[in-house]
Amino acid sequence: MKILLSNDDGYNAEGLLKLALALKDRHEVHISAPAGEQSGSGHGLTFGRGLGWRRVPADELPEVDGKRIDVPCHAVYGSPADAVKFAIEHIYLGERFDLVISGVNTVLNIGSDIIYSGTFGAAEEGTILGVPSIALSTNVRKGGYDAAIDFIVRNLDEIYPLIPPLVTININVPYGAAEDIKGVAVAPLGIRRYKDWYEPHEELFRLKGYPYDCSANEEEDDCVMSDRGYITITPVKIADTDFECLEILGKKEWKA
């Protein structure tokens, strides 16, 4: 397959380059990713100002596991969604990608986190542009990237043909070590709850916080199953109209 890789951590991020290394022997891999850190940028696109980019030579990319990542790489001076859109509609205009994978992200993007996630935003942009897309995240502080990369490499041939149009597949791997993972759960999106606060930092403020553990909750959504130690797979639709509310609103007499 011809695969476009992106992320929200930047073109030189370890998780992205490790994923490229793992995929490039069996697939044609290309990278288009932000020039710098873009975590929390959601699905934003750049409007009203110029968008720059450059081809990154292989010798500029950091080595991964003692190996050089010799794949075409582009640094886009914009958001993660910019990086995917610019690659498909400009850098590779007229060519066809089979798949977009965004990641591997350094923290989980489960439940309502996808609203804020640049990792998910990059994958969702691929979906909007008609390319089957996957967002892949892990908790790198709990063992690194290996389990997430091994999972996608082992299962990619099975996942790929099951991706419907206008649906993004969101995959989260809670641990980096395979022995810590309890299994795989196909689960709906949940609502991720946090204990948050703003901490002073050099005359400004930084948002700090941590997610509440919801492993004991009765619902078996992706937040709960992830906290229980399962890899979660969640298909997320672009067109997510609430039809029950639509029907209620449609029965009202509105003042134009």
Side-chain angles (χ1 to χ4, degrees), residues 7-13 33-39 41 75-80:
N7 69 356
D8 68 0
D9 295 316
Y11 69 91
N12 56 358
E37 172 71 37
Q38 290 285 330
S39 294
S41 56
V76 176
Y77 293 86
S79 70

Side-chain angles (χ1 to χ4, degrees), residues 86-108:
F86 192 74
I88 292 173
E89 295 192 335
H90 181 79
I91 300 172
Y92 296 100
L93 182 63
E95 301 183 39
R96 172 70 187 176
F97 282 98
D98 299 298
L99 180 68
V100 170
I101 304 178
S102 180
V104 181
N105 198 52
T106 59
V107 295
L108 300 179

